[in-house]
Amino acid sequence: MRIAVTYENGNIFQHFGHTQQFKLYDIEDGKITGTQVLDAEGNGHGALAGMLSGQNIDTLICGGIGAGAQAALSAAGIRLYGGVSGSADEAVNQLLAGSLAYNPEVCCDHHGEEHHHESGHSCKEARNGCVGNGGCQG
């Protein structure tokens, strides 16, 4: 198993399409056997799914993520755990322990008008709760 987490300063970056880095975790027998930080190299949204697939990623943990990116990940066979915040390492440990709190309905809509973030995108309040750092959790 190989897990990717949107990554910034040890924490889960809250906007998949704008992440600058991923932390990758190699898993064997339910334990972390290695990690590395991978630069997104300016790829955004749809291209990130292909980049992760090329790294043999089968699981992604992230904060907010749009429907198009979710579809691209699904098409690439990458399982999504969205709406997660906090420490990247802790989230992976929780996933391995079967205790990760995530939101299967997570979605971030860049074209909504209801609530604007500092980063310039917006979330529809009716479907999403917004977190203060510019990410969305459904």
Side-chain angles (χ1 to χ4, degrees), residues 12-102:
I12 299 166
F13 186 72
Q14 290 299 300
H15 189 164
F16 173 78
H18 289 226
T19 192
Q20 297 297 307
Q21 295 181 315
F22 292 93
K23 188 166 183 181
L24 310 182
Y25 298 80
D26 294 307
I27 311 298
E28 290 181 31
D29 298 322
K31 297 191 186 322
I32 299 170
T33 59
T35 65
Q36 75 180 80
V37 175
L38 176 70
D39 287 332
E41 299 177 359
N43 288 311
H45 296 92
L48 289 174
M51 186 187 88
L52 292 174
S53 180
Q55 292 290 321
N56 299 314
I57 299 301
D58 51 38
T59 303
L60 172 71
I61 298 172
C62 68
I65 183 168
Q70 289 182 44
L73 290 168
S74 179
I78 299 172
R79 184 173 181 147
L80 172 65
Y81 292 89
V84 182
S85 61
S87 164
D89 291 348
E90 184 60 29
V92 171
N93 286 323
Q94 289 173 357
L95 178 65
L96 296 175
S99 63
L100 180 65
Y102 70 100

Side-chain angles (χ1 to χ4, degrees), residues 71-131:
L73 290 168
S74 179
I78 299 172
R79 184 173 181 147
L80 172 65
Y81 292 89
V84 182
S85 61
S87 164
D89 291 348
E90 184 60 29
V92 171
N93 286 323
Q94 289 173 357
L95 178 65
L96 296 175
S99 63
L100 180 65
Y102 70 100
N103 184 345
E105 302 297 323
V106 69
C107 186
C108 200
D109 181 355
H110 296 267
H111 305 290
E113 299 292 328
E114 286 83 357
H115 183 80
H116 295 276
H117 292 291
E118 300 159 357
S119 61
H121 79 276
S122 56
C123 294
K124 293 186 177 180
E125 290 284 0
R127 294 187 65 200
N128 302 300
C130 296
V131 294

